Amino acid sequence: MTHPEWNQIPMVDLKEELTLIRTPVLEMMTEVLDSGDYILGEKGKQFEKLAAQYVGASYGIGAANGTDALELSLRALGIGPGDDVITTPFTFFATAEAIAQVGARPVFADIEEDTYNIDPAHVEEAITPNTKAIIVVHLYGKAANMKEITRIAEDYDLFVIEDACQAIGAEYDGKRVGAIGDIGCFSFFPSKNLGAFGDAGLVTTNQEAVFENIMQLRNHGSLEKYHHAAIGMNSRLDEIQAAFLLVKLYYLDIFLHKRKEAANRYTENLHPLLKTPSITRNREHTFHQYCIELDKRDELASALDYNGIDSAIYYPVPLHLQPAFDYLGFKKGDFPIAEKTAERILGLPIHPTLSFQKQDYIIKTINDFLEDNG
């Protein structure tokens, strides 16, 4: 069943979003087409510079996608076989996949119950003599506890890589994520808060040596044409994606404001039986996802679908229980908070063009379900 005034309400409405920015997007695309310069051109350089400035970092390096941004970061820090990298088991697969891709060993640490981000106390427990880095994920757009993470890293001489793929614009103590650790990684997958026209990514850093290393690695290990100083990757931000992102970067703060507005409205009006996202004064949330928790998660998801409302589970299987990581030897029960959250979490539609009317319909549908099934 759907509401008579509209079809299914999607998690993200990229078509509606594009209607707001179609003219400048087409103008920017035309400039790229007329230039005949499609790889490592001026739009890419301009986006790298402006995106780094937005984050508050000294350097920005475009990449083909967020996964490559993570792998490039690990490789630039010299992390590989024999090394351990600590990260969260409750995130998208790419975070730990990048660790495995460079030959290092993913080591998981359980999450904070309220924020879903990695728990610094568990990070410290997971450190071994082989530990070289921590990949901290700012999940759903909420900054992790960077004060404690950076303290631990300093105490044990570890690198900190920020997986900010869901969190551009989020802040910790007034500083934007991606410029707090040694390296920041961003994804511009189309559904992200800053989404491209396809795949795209970015690495940020304040360290010149890291910047130069990644610039070389992303282009087949080459800074000079046909001269290769290292075994690198083909992971370059193309001009079409850079042009699209330049336009959307201009609108980013407006779109983030609309997301926060929608999130606040959900929180104020949803049934108190639900667990809604925690708001922490010094850890800003940009709501790439708005996730609730409840025992009857699957039943509510079915009720939403019946009423023409999309929902999604981020994420149904923690990383330590993924078959691809069987070789690590983890088992069910090793990370109880992540496992419990995976059984209860549900993402609701949230995007800059979500109307109050549609949001009210979503809220009413959820509250009616809870009144009947609470």
Side-chain angles (χ1 to χ4, degrees), residues 34-76:
D34 289 346
S35 75
D37 193 7
Y38 305 141
I39 297 287
L40 296 181
E42 290 305 312
K43 299 298 184 192
K45 293 174 184 175
Q46 187 180 0
F47 176 72
E48 289 171 338
K49 179 180 178 180
L50 292 177
Q53 288 177 354
Y54 179 85
V55 169
S58 301
Y59 304 100
I61 310 105
N65 52 68
T67 308
D68 282 2
L70 289 163
E71 183 174 341
L72 285 165
S73 299
L74 289 161
R75 294 182 64 179

Side-chain angles (χ1 to χ4, degrees), residues 331-343:
K331 63 185 183 302
K332 189 172 178 62
D334 283 344
F335 305 104
I337 300 175
E339 292 171 23
K340 183 182 77 169
T341 303
E343 295 173 352

Side-chain angles (χ1 to χ4, degrees), residues 194-236:
L194 180 61
F197 200 57
D199 275 320
L202 183 78
V203 181
T204 54
T205 185
N206 290 311
Q207 301 175 28
E208 185 176 4
V210 171
F211 163 71
E212 292 176 350
N213 202 352
I214 294 176
M215 286 287 284
Q216 183 179 74
L217 288 171
R218 72 157 180 187
N219 190 28
H220 300 288
S222 173
L223 289 174
E224 181 184 353
K225 194 170 185 179
Y226 302 131
H227 292 77
H228 304 270
I231 304 298
M233 299 168 59
N234 178 10
S235 185
R236 302 171 298 206

Side-chain angles (χ1 to χ4, degrees), residues 182-289:
D182 294 285
I183 300 178
C185 299
F186 296 87
S187 167
F188 305 122
F189 186 79
S191 64
K192 293 294 197 293
N193 290 9
L194 180 61
F197 200 57
D199 275 320
L202 183 78
V203 181
T204 54
T205 185
N206 290 311
Q207 301 175 28
E208 185 176 4
V210 171
F211 163 71
E212 292 176 350
N213 202 352
I214 294 176
M215 286 287 284
Q216 183 179 74
L217 288 171
R218 72 157 180 187
N219 190 28
H220 300 288
S222 173
L223 289 174
E224 181 184 353
K225 194 170 185 179
Y226 302 131
H227 292 77
H228 304 270
I231 304 298
M233 299 168 59
N234 178 10
S235 185
R236 302 171 298 206
L237 177 64
D238 71 65
E239 288 291 276
I240 289 291
Q241 302 306 334
F244 193 76
L245 288 166
L246 277 169
V247 174
K248 293 190 74 175
L249 184 61
Y250 180 83
Y251 291 90
L252 178 58
D253 284 341
I254 298 171
F255 285 172
L256 291 181
H257 174 77
K258 297 299 291 184
R259 283 179 176 272
K260 294 173 190 176
E261 187 177 62
N264 290 337
R265 209 156 180 273
Y266 271 139
T267 300
E268 289 169 3
N269 292 284
L270 283 171
H271 199 288
L273 283 177
L274 293 174
K275 180 181 176 182
T276 55
S278 66
I279 304 300
T280 313
R281 182 182 55 81
N282 67 331
R283 297 164 68 177
E284 187 180 357
H285 205 319
T286 52
F287 295 102
H288 170 58
Q289 305 296 348

Side-chain angles (χ1 to χ4, degrees), residues 294-305 346 369 373:
L294 71 161
D295 290 331
K296 296 183 178 179
R297 185 266 310 278
D298 294 340
E299 293 90 334
L300 175 58
S302 295
L304 290 169
D305 183 61
L346 186 68
F369 170 84
N373 299 274

